[in-house]
Amino acid sequence: MTLKHLPAASCSGERGTAQTDVGFKPSRRGILKAAAAFIGTGYAGGAWGQGAPLGQASSLTFEDLVDRARASASQPFVPPVVPAPDLIKKIDYSAHWQIRFREDESLYPGDTDAAVQLFHPGRYFPEPVQINLRDENGVSREVIFGEDIFTMPHDSPAHELPPGFGFAGFRVMRPDMGPDWVSFLGASYFRTDGPARQYGLSARGIAIDTGLNRPEEFPRFKAFWLGPPESEREDMSVWAELDGPSITGAYRFGLVRDAEGTDGHVTSVSANLFMRADVERLGIAPLTSMYWYSERDRIIGADWRPEIHDSDGLALATGAGERIWRPLNNPELVSTSSFLDENPAGFGLIQRDHNFDHYQDDGVFYDRRPSAWVRPTSAWGRGAVQLVQIPTGDETFDNIVAYWVPEQPARRGDSFRFDYEIEWRAQDPKSDTVATVVATRQGQGGMPGQPIPEGVGKFVIDFDGTSLEGLDVDSGVEAVVEAANGVIVKPVAAHPIVGTKQWRLTFDYKQSGPEAVSLRAYLRLDGRALTETWLTDAWVKRRSAY
């Protein structure tokens, strides 16, 4: 189990929304911190869940769920009621991890071989979530909450919860009760363990006002309908009802394990959204990750490990065909970057570095963390991919968020539909035409053996790809480096790295003022791009952990 996101004695979070009646303030950091503590722990599984009590049969189509969400948006938001709030607070981390789903209660929606296990509520997940099973004919039955489908110590405070309380979420197991590979737990968060079977970054259904100077809003999936596959490649399908102060929604998820052609899992998403209120920043297909430091900025890390991050960059494939790499940063202040686009081909938070020697962590294995690549499957129109980076001094909290913001304002009464797939891969899909960035290093400017120039910084960027093969310093490869709010200090050098097939770009830069320098760089030959475009914001003087 990862040490990342373990719940502390107080899980209020500095970016929370309104206080709930059980004393838990929802926040992106707090929710993820608690979720990771229980995913991958000792909940077990077993055979067909005949012992799990089910409610009365009812008929529901996905179109019915869309109509329900649309109608709900016209009504005032009703905050969820937490039964027995004083009791739920007693189920803290220590008590929660001892509550295990019974082996013989595992559920197989629609008679599939995808075994589902349910999460028990607790202090960090107090709001009840309704879980329903759905068959091929559209007949649904609610799974009734009760302590009989869990095992727990005889003195557990969970024994005192009233019948029918509600669940916290669910996870899907591998065949033969192998480890779980996907989970939905907390607000609208979900994630998979990727090709290396190691949980890392998360996705969520929606992001509301992330990165603004006011608390985020955290809509939640209030109910799920778990059912059989709705396409040939799916292992199972999930419908979900989203509810929040500013928005409602009906979601359809297709869960695909070990998807062909991706070397990982795929989650297909169809999001039908209805606005209850105006929203300044509507984040579609949001991804959430952690970045403390890497080879770029090792100076700010006080830890003994060389690098600590779940993701090391934002990758984009624009609608115009450009490939962009934005290495992540741990800024001194919250920063938001926007990348304007129209009908993007894809974007994702990516972990490109999978070399164990670069992390030296044999406990939480950052070298095994998956990447998440969002691929739209419908026309998204104009908008921007936004990257929010939040300062952090350790690995406990997720501090990176990326999502799509449509150009169309989100006003009360508006509706949206977005279709996309999230590919949980080792890395982002590679381009057939341009090389990719494999390392970004930052340091003081100047030349070894020469006086250190004042106010000058240096970047060294390494590229790798077939477009560079067979080229040498006499081939006419040109380095394109541009700066806004700063200047590039010549000379700029680009050359093959001795003993490898990679190329290295090196340049110095200066700031023109107190704001960060915005830098852009790539290699080209005869006017044709050889590499993806590298972008970053940088300061010459960087803070140190020492």
Side-chain angles (χ1 to χ4, degrees):
M1 182 184 71
T2 175
L3 298 178
K4 184 168 157 295
H5 311 314
L6 291 181
S10 173
C11 196
S12 61
E14 56 270 55
R15 300 176 56 79
T17 58
Q19 186 83 15
T20 70
D21 59 352
V22 294
F24 176 63
K25 186 184 291 184
S27 72
R28 173 180 41 76
R29 295 182 172 191
I31 293 168
L32 283 168
K33 186 168 119 175
F38 302 108
I39 298 170
T41 58
Y43 288 97
W48 165 246
Q50 290 289 350
L54 301 178
Q56 293 293 319
S58 61
S59 177
L60 182 78
T61 67
F62 186 69
E63 289 71 25
D64 293 336
L65 186 59
V66 173
D67 290 342
R68 178 187 297 184
R70 181 184 295 109
S72 180
S74 65
Q75 302 298 318
F77 173 67
V78 179
V81 175
V82 179
D86 293 335
L87 287 177
I88 204 71
K89 285 192 294 185
K90 296 179 182 179
I91 308 176
D92 56 14
Y93 170 70
S94 178
H96 206 172
W97 77 264
Q98 298 181 71
I99 303 173
R100 303 164 183 259
F101 196 83
R102 288 186 180 274
E103 291 188 3
D104 58 354
E105 302 294 348
S106 292
L107 308 169
Y108 291 81
D111 202 24
T112 68
D113 61 357
V116 173
Q117 298 184 348
L118 308 181
F119 290 110
H120 195 282
R123 173 184 291 183
Y124 303 106
F125 305 102
E127 297 171 345
V129 175
Q130 184 185 100
I131 304 292
N132 303 273
L133 298 185
R134 172 175 51 84
D135 67 16
E136 296 87 343
N137 301 314
V139 176
S140 299
R141 293 176 181 269
E142 181 183 354
V143 182
I144 305 302
F145 175 85
E147 70 170 88
D148 291 344
I149 59 177
F150 297 92
T151 64
M152 60 190 76
H154 71 278
D155 59 349
S156 173
H159 287 296
E160 304 176 45
L161 289 182
F165 185 98
F167 301 97
F170 69 93
R171 65 179 185 169
V172 184
M173 313 301 291
R174 283 183 165 80
D176 301 323
M177 287 302 134
D180 56 297
W181 62 278
V182 61
S183 68
F184 287 72
L185 179 63
S188 66
Y189 284 90
F190 60 97
R191 61 181 181 169
T192 85
D193 63 357
R197 298 192 177 191
Q198 179 71 47
Y199 280 107
L201 81 169
S202 299
R204 51 175 157 158
I206 200 72
I208 302 289
D209 291 342
T210 304
L212 300 180
N213 59 353
R214 58 176 179 270
E216 286 183 66
E217 179 182 318
F218 289 90
R220 72 186 191 104
F221 290 135
K222 60 186 291 186
F224 293 99
W225 287 262
L226 315 181
E230 294 181 303
S231 73
E232 289 186 1
R233 69 171 184 161
E234 291 178 1
D235 290 83
M236 65 177 289
S237 63
V238 175
W239 301 347
E241 182 179 4
L242 182 81
D243 193 37
S246 301
I247 196 169
T248 67
Y251 282 70
R252 185 204 171 279
F253 298 95
L255 308 183
V256 185
R257 181 174 57 86
D258 299 333
E260 184 176 353
T262 65
D263 190 33
H265 313 313
V266 169
T267 306
S268 65
V269 184
S270 179
N272 299 265
L273 305 171
F274 305 95
M275 305 307 302
R276 260 199 180 111
D278 295 354
V279 167
E280 180 176 348
R281 184 176 291 174
L282 181 67
I284 305 301
L287 304 173
T288 303
S289 191
M290 182 278 295
Y291 177 91
W292 186 4
Y293 60 89
S294 67
E295 77 275 356
R296 170 184 178 172
D297 44 16
R298 174 70 180 86
I299 190 172
I300 70 172
D303 196 88
W304 63 271
R305 291 163 290 181
E307 300 184 36
I308 298 178
H309 50 80
D310 282 343
S311 306
D312 52 15
L314 170 69
L316 302 100
T318 71
E322 184 180 13
R323 299 298 292 260
I324 296 173
W325 177 251
R326 172 64 180 264
L328 296 181
N329 188 28
N330 184 356
E332 295 190 28
L333 300 172
V334 175
S335 70
T336 301
S337 303
S338 295
F339 306 87
L340 298 178
D341 202 358
E342 182 173 0
N343 293 323
F347 70 91
L349 291 176
I350 308 301
Q351 184 80 316
R352 282 188 175 173
D353 188 348
H354 291 281
N355 188 329
F356 173 81
D357 290 340
H358 295 175
Y359 303 92
Q360 288 296 323
D361 193 321
D362 59 353
V364 298
F365 297 103
Y366 287 110
D367 58 298
R368 300 179 184 175
R369 301 297 168 108
S371 302
W373 179 255
V374 175
R375 186 176 65 84
T377 55
S378 62
W380 282 14
R382 293 182 178 181
V385 174
Q386 288 194 342
L387 173 66
V388 178
Q389 300 179 107
I390 301 169
T392 189
D394 59 29
E395 65 199 287
T396 306
F397 300 118
D398 277 46
N399 63 319
I400 305 294
V401 189
Y403 46 81
W404 172 260
V405 179
E407 181 182 72
Q408 177 185 340
R411 304 298 185 216
R412 179 182 178 182
D414 288 347
S415 62
F416 300 86
R417 174 168 172 172
F418 291 91
D419 300 299
Y420 56 96
E421 291 186 343
I422 305 177
E423 299 175 354
W424 306 85
R425 315 167 56 103
Q427 296 189 9
D428 50 314
K430 297 305 178 188
S431 168
D432 295 329
T433 59
V434 295
T436 58
V437 176
V438 294
T440 297
R441 297 178 176 86
Q442 184 177 0
Q444 63 186 15
M447 298 290 290
Q450 302 295 321
I452 298 174
E454 184 70 23
V456 178
K458 182 185 296 292
F459 271 103
V460 179
I461 308 161
D462 294 345
F463 298 95
D464 183 74
T466 57
S467 62
L468 300 172
E469 291 181 1
L471 301 177
D472 58 29
V473 293
D474 297 322
S475 299
V477 174
E478 179 185 3
V480 180
V481 184
E482 301 168 341
N485 195 41
V487 295
I488 302 302
V489 180
K490 296 184 177 181
V492 173
H495 59 85
I497 302 175
V498 176
T500 75
K501 295 182 179 181
Q502 299 177 357
W503 273 65
R504 176 164 290 171
L505 169 61
T506 305
F507 64 89
D508 287 1
Y509 67 98
K510 290 183 178 180
Q511 286 179 238
S512 297
E515 300 299 321
V517 183
S518 294
L519 298 165
R520 178 175 182 265
Y522 66 99
L523 301 181
R524 69 184 178 190
L525 178 64
D526 298 330
R528 175 178 60 88
L530 294 173
T531 70
E532 63 187 356
T533 302
W534 174 93
L535 300 174
T536 197
D537 289 341
W539 288 261
V540 171
K541 181 176 286 188
R542 298 177 296 151
R543 71 186 190 276
S544 172
Y546 302 99

